[in-house]
Amino acid sequence: MARPEPGAAVFVKDLPEPQAGPGQVRVRISKAAICGTDRHIFHWDPSIAPLLSPPVVIGHEFCGHIDQVGAEVTGWEEGDYVSAEMHIVCGKCRACRAGNQHVCEDTEIAGLHCDGAFAEFVVVPSQNLVRLDPAVVPPHIGAFLDALGNAVHTVQAASSIAGRHILLSGYGAIGAMAAAVVEFEGAASLCITEVAPGHLSRAREWVSKLNGPVPVHVFDPREEGTAEKIRQITGGGVDVVLEMSGAPPAINMGLELLYPGGEMMMLGLPSGSDLSLEGFARNVIFKGLHLHGVVGRRIFATWTEMLGLLARGLNIEHIVTHRLPLSSFTEGIGLLDAAEAHKVILDPTT
Ligand SMILES: [Zn+2]
Ligand SMILES: [Zn+2]
């Protein structure tokens, strides 16, 4: 990202190799992945443009091997296989001191505020590193643990999943991973709603290959009778909504379908900053709902949990739809814009 303009301002350029300073390590990147945030940056979306001061290397989802260890770093060596939390938090604000580093008031995001991972090397603070086991996390999965963390954080924010009826709205990459976690954790049922044809067909394809005990249903919510069908499947209403779309009709449908006492985990960002809720008194207050905003990943509890899920056999292979050389970044953005991809993995070595 070089100039503050949409699209055309993102290009491939030779930069000097970054050096690990005190407390930092340099990682040689094996694989990286494109995130929705990178798309917003590429399109110079007003929601994100003010946060960037180009030139900056974008990208925040990656894994690789440490190839340089800075001064004052202990516990890490050249060759260690790692990913990293790219939210660099202050450790001093009230949120950090309360153990809520994921909502630190003074967060700096590598790949946004400072140089990130769409490169051959990235320099990160050693305290942000996460050690990976190559037997559990191959590089094409290690490339997008950041996004898996959003999915796991959203699911784990619910008071429980096992034995409960779950509605998941929005089967983009993070929604698809959240669906896999819900299925893995043994919900009573999982209903998925999605409107983009590509994502809908990927949801149906995923369901057709499942052979576990959890009934999973996929709906285009614009089809007549969808709410009634979901009520029938769930015995009158859902216990938990995982809202991954940010689409106002999906949020309102979720509130409408929640059974009294239910909970909604809200990760999806509405375009524009406001949202109007329909039947607020009836659907939220009188049902005694819990609404929970979800941002980022808990540092580092979510990382530990997601690595635990992968070690126990959580399968997210189907999330990887494309593998491209790093130089084909623009092609990857196009695939994501058209909802033709879930995760596009970028390889800086090809
Ligand atoms: Zn991301
Ligand atoms: Zn802080």
Side-chain angles (χ1 to χ4, degrees), residues 34-38 60-61 146-147 150 174 297 343:
I34 306 179
C35 173
T37 307
D38 304 315
H60 56 271
E61 304 187 356
D146 171 287
N150 292 134
I174 297 177
R297 302 143 297 281
K343 269 296 165 195

Side-chain angles (χ1 to χ4, degrees), residues 165-166 183 187-191 207 210 212-217 233:
H165 296 290
I166 315 298
E183 199 267 338
S189 70
L190 169 60
C191 293
V207 172
L210 292 174
V214 177
V216 185
H217 309 266
I233 290 164

Side-chain angles (χ1 to χ4, degrees), residues 23-25 66 68-70 72-83 125-132:
Q24 297 178 323
V25 302
I66 294 178
Q68 190 184 63
V69 178
E72 300 159 27
V73 172
T74 52
W76 298 99
E77 283 174 24
E78 279 179 34
D80 286 348
Y81 177 43
V82 296
S83 183
S126 66
Q127 68 210 31
N128 283 54
L129 290 170
V130 176
R131 194 180 298 280
L132 303 181

Side-chain angles (χ1 to χ4, degrees), residues 36 80 107 143 151 176 185 234 325-326 340:
D80 286 348
T107 305
E185 297 204 340
T234 58
L326 177 58
E340 281 171 18

